[in-house]
Amino acid sequence: MLEYGILTRAPITLITGDVGAGKTTLLHHLLKSVGSDVKIGLISNAHGDRGELLRWVLMALDQPAPADATYVDLFANFQAHLIEEYAKGHRVILIFDEAQNLTSESLEELRMFTNINSNKDELLQLVLVGQPELQEIIRRPEMRQFAQRVASSFHLKSMDKKTVRKYVAHRLDVAGAERNFFSPAATDQIYESTKGVPRLVNQLCDLSMVYAFTRGRKGVVQHTVEMVLNDGAFFAASLDSDKNGLTS
């Protein structure tokens, strides 16, 4: 859906997912795969009023944003840059990572940015990437105009048990392993302990391999994973315990 949004020149593409679901990894893959005719400005953790947001945007596009410039001056520079890139046959895409931190006012400002586009010529595309609460913000009644311009969206879910098995096998294959040395029971235990969140799967697999190596084992079995968990080496497990303790 991210590629679809870019190829179809969607005004706004929305990608959401829980912490550790792989959103930033997806963005870096996109940055490596786009052609030379696409100019991308990546903005992470943007904050502030509309003038500060515009400064973040200009800096991401390697454009000057003088401290003494008025908002009108900054916007004129921004619009001129988009027209200049369009004349060169280039498209400009602004990607906002951690977009759930943007205020409603900032999101409305981004919607105004898309007004630069004419009916048939897309000078600017926006990609918003953030945690699930970003969807909740955009679904608010006052954000209706913004929501109507979201032409492509996708929510990255955690992996299920079957996918975790395939994911671990794939990672080992890419790393050059001649076989999958994680037993099915070990992989299932990893799934249960991480709820299928890719970042946590990576962490628990790494720790399990270290434990197996230090004990001279040639594979990771369920008992290996349990030792990691029982020793408290997998920090995320303690966070889950704390959460359960608070709610019980």
Side-chain angles (χ1 to χ4, degrees):
M1 291 305 295
L2 180 58
E3 292 176 344
Y4 170 81
I6 291 174
L7 288 173
T8 59
R9 299 174 182 256
I12 301 174
T13 297
L14 180 65
I15 305 294
T16 58
D18 288 318
V19 175
K23 302 182 296 296
T24 302
T25 300
L26 185 66
L27 285 184
H28 285 293
H29 172 72
L30 172 67
L31 293 174
K32 294 177 182 177
S33 62
V34 295
S36 58
D37 62 324
V38 178
K39 303 302 178 182
I40 292 182
L42 177 60
I43 302 100
S44 299
N45 292 311
H47 57 276
D49 59 25
R50 68 175 191 166
E52 290 176 319
L53 178 65
L54 188 50
R55 290 182 191 278
W56 282 103
V57 167
L58 287 169
M59 288 188 292
L61 295 173
D62 294 323
Q63 295 302 300
D68 59 346
T70 66
Y71 179 82
V72 173
D73 293 333
L74 293 173
F75 192 85
N77 292 342
F78 176 50
Q79 188 171 29
H81 177 66
L82 294 179
I83 294 173
E84 180 183 356
E85 291 296 326
Y86 179 76
K88 295 177 182 177
H90 297 162
R91 286 188 292 148
V92 176
I93 301 175
L94 293 177
I95 300 177
F96 290 83
D97 197 9
E98 302 295 344
Q100 76 279 353
N101 295 326
L102 293 171
T103 64
S104 298
E105 292 75 16
S106 294
L107 290 171
E108 176 61 15
E109 181 69 8
L110 294 183
R111 184 187 71 81
M112 297 299 292
F113 286 176
T114 63
N115 287 339
I116 295 174
N117 298 327
S118 65
N119 290 332
K120 64 177 182 178
D121 298 321
E122 296 290 341
L123 280 68
L124 176 68
Q125 290 178 260
L126 303 179
V127 176
L128 274 63
V129 181
Q131 296 176 25
E133 52 263 37
L134 177 60
Q135 288 191 3
E136 298 174 10
I137 295 171
I138 295 175
R139 287 194 178 106
R140 293 173 183 170
E142 66 270 22
M143 298 300 297
R144 182 176 300 173
Q145 285 184 296
F146 185 96
Q148 289 177 350
R149 300 198 183 186
V150 177
S152 175
S153 66
F154 191 80
H155 179 71
L156 287 169
K157 298 179 180 179
S158 298
M159 298 180 287
D160 59 22
K161 185 182 295 186
K162 182 178 180 181
T163 304
V164 169
R165 285 187 178 186
K166 291 182 177 181
Y167 176 75
V168 172
H170 172 72
R171 290 289 298 254
L172 291 171
D173 182 61
V174 171
E178 296 180 353
R179 64 183 179 86
N180 182 355
F181 46 77
F182 279 78
S183 73
T187 310
D188 290 349
Q189 180 65 61
I190 289 168
Y191 164 74
E192 295 294 338
S193 302
T194 63
K195 304 298 187 290
V197 176
R199 179 185 297 163
L200 300 183
V201 171
N202 294 344
Q203 292 175 2
L204 188 49
C205 283
D206 286 347
L207 289 167
S208 298
M209 286 190 289
V210 171
Y211 267 59
F213 174 77
T214 58
R215 286 159 177 77
R217 306 288 175 80
K218 295 184 178 180
V220 176
V221 296
Q222 183 176 3
H223 179 63
T224 313
V225 181
E226 290 173 346
M227 284 193 296
V228 174
L229 297 171
N230 292 336
D231 285 351
F234 181 53
F235 187 72
S238 66
L239 297 179
D240 254 356
S241 299
D242 292 344
K243 182 179 178 181
N244 293 334
L246 288 172
T247 57
S248 61

